[in-house]
Amino acid sequence: MGIKLKLKKKTIKRTRKKSKPYFGTDVHDAIVEYKHTTCEKERHEIYETQIKNAFEKLSENLIYIYNFSRDQEHFYILKSDCVSFLYETICKFEESKGSKAFSYFNACAKNHLLAGARKTQKRKIRNVSLDDFQNLNNVDKEAIESHHKILSQDDIFIKEEDKDILKEILKKIQNKTLNENEKLCLNAVITLFNNIEEIPFLNKRAVFVYLREISGLEPKQLSSSLSTIRKYYREIVNTDDYYILFG
């Protein structure tokens, strides 16, 4: 007579290793440390190694989730702009109020992207297409016809003359005593100015983003260099030589 033995299967519980959040307490602590650090070199190191990646990932996620991007090129512009905005917002974060860095910067980034989307939508509403002019209503046709304007030859000449004057001023600033960052910044301004017709859209933040990309400078370095260039610009414009040459 055979004896049947029931063998219990040994169940092995496999615990799933939790992935580390991209914007966790370590990033929160890094932001607090960044705020309370006065050394610019240390700040730069903290931002680059511990904060920047979290800001980039946060921006990417919000752009994808809320479908802010129209195409790949627009996505990169939008992401770069949002990361720059978050960088400028770091010092406004108040950890003493008990809020978590993720919650604060998530709200800031979302509001910033929403505000930009609303501005874009307003521009679209204000603009009408001329491709199908015959099918536009009378109000739109009248608005287009009444605002149609062609620059006179004198206006075109003045516009080109203004460009030439600005080019001369930039050349004069190049002859000033500039440090390495200021030279990179000025070269970026000149490059941007020379290619202004090829840029799809411009506003204050977009200009800042383009200058960052061209110069390779960090936001604080770029802001400081731009302040010096503006100072030299005002000095040149307010001199008697300016009015003799361009007046």
Side-chain angles (χ1 to χ4, degrees):
M1 183 175 166
I3 299 172
K4 290 184 180 178
L5 296 175
K6 286 186 179 179
L7 298 175
K8 287 185 179 179
K9 286 185 179 178
K10 203 172 183 181
T11 55
I12 301 171
K13 285 186 179 180
R14 293 185 181 178
T15 54
R16 221 177 184 184
K17 193 178 178 182
K18 290 183 179 179
S19 59
K20 186 181 176 184
Y22 72 88
F23 203 130
T25 54
D26 55 335
V27 181
H28 174 98
D29 294 340
I31 288 170
V32 174
E33 185 184 357
Y34 177 96
K35 272 193 64 183
H36 296 289
T37 302
T38 54
C39 175
E40 285 300 321
K41 188 176 179 181
E42 286 181 24
R43 277 189 158 193
H44 175 73
E45 182 71 19
I46 293 167
Y47 177 76
E48 286 292 325
T49 58
Q50 301 178 63
I51 303 172
K52 185 179 178 182
N53 185 61
F55 280 176
E56 288 181 345
K57 190 67 179 172
L58 176 63
S59 302
E60 286 176 6
N61 287 347
L62 287 172
I63 292 168
Y64 282 130
I65 291 167
Y66 294 98
N67 198 25
F68 285 116
S69 177
R70 297 190 299 270
D71 52 56
Q72 192 173 20
E73 185 181 354
H74 181 244
F75 166 79
Y76 287 119
I77 292 170
L78 212 55
K79 174 186 167 183
S80 179
D81 176 58
C82 190
V83 171
S84 297
F85 170 76
L86 292 176
Y87 176 83
E88 293 165 11
T89 312
I90 293 177
C91 290
K92 295 178 183 178
F93 174 64
E94 295 181 20
E95 71 280 6
S96 59
K97 291 186 176 181
S99 60
K100 297 293 182 184
F102 173 76
S103 300
Y104 177 81
F105 287 99
N106 184 65
C108 288
K110 184 179 174 182
N111 290 335
H112 173 71
L113 290 166
L114 282 170
R118 288 192 200 101
K119 284 182 183 177
T120 303
Q121 188 60 29
K122 281 182 181 178
R123 282 197 296 268
K124 283 182 180 178
I125 292 170
R126 287 185 187 134
N127 296 328
V128 293
S129 174
L130 298 179
D131 294 337
D132 195 13
F133 185 80
Q134 295 303 321
N135 290 327
L136 294 174
N137 61 44
N138 291 332
V139 175
D140 286 340
K141 285 180 181 179
E142 189 178 338
I144 292 167
E145 288 169 355
S146 63
H147 285 85
H148 183 63
K149 182 181 178 182
I150 298 174
L151 289 175
S152 67
Q153 287 302 314
D154 288 341
D155 288 335
I156 293 170
F157 177 75
I158 291 167
K159 190 177 177 183
E160 291 302 317
E161 191 177 38
D162 288 343
K163 283 185 181 179
D164 292 337
I165 290 170
L166 188 52
K167 282 180 182 177
E168 288 301 316
I169 293 173
L170 292 174
K171 282 181 186 177
K172 284 181 176 292
I173 295 173
Q174 279 183 310
N175 296 327
K176 300 284 185 181
T177 305
L178 303 172
N179 63 34
E180 194 59 36
N181 285 348
E182 288 160 1
K183 287 177 184 176
L184 287 170
C185 179
L186 183 60
N187 288 336
V189 171
I190 293 169
T191 301
L192 185 63
F193 182 78
N194 289 336
N195 296 279
I196 202 78
E197 303 297 336
E198 299 172 18
I199 296 171
F201 67 92
L202 278 179
N203 55 42
K204 188 177 177 181
R205 189 167 295 281
V207 169
F208 194 79
V209 171
Y210 284 127
L211 290 177
R212 271 191 67 195
E213 294 296 325
I214 297 168
S215 66
L217 296 173
E218 290 300 314
K220 285 216 168 186
Q221 295 172 320
L222 189 58
S223 295
S224 175
S225 301
L226 283 170
S227 295
T228 303
I229 290 168
R230 280 195 294 267
K231 183 188 77 173
Y232 284 136
Y233 175 84
R234 286 193 293 270
E235 284 177 5
I236 293 168
V237 169
N238 291 328
T239 58
D240 292 336
D241 289 343
Y242 174 83
Y243 291 102
I244 292 168
L245 290 170
F246 308 121

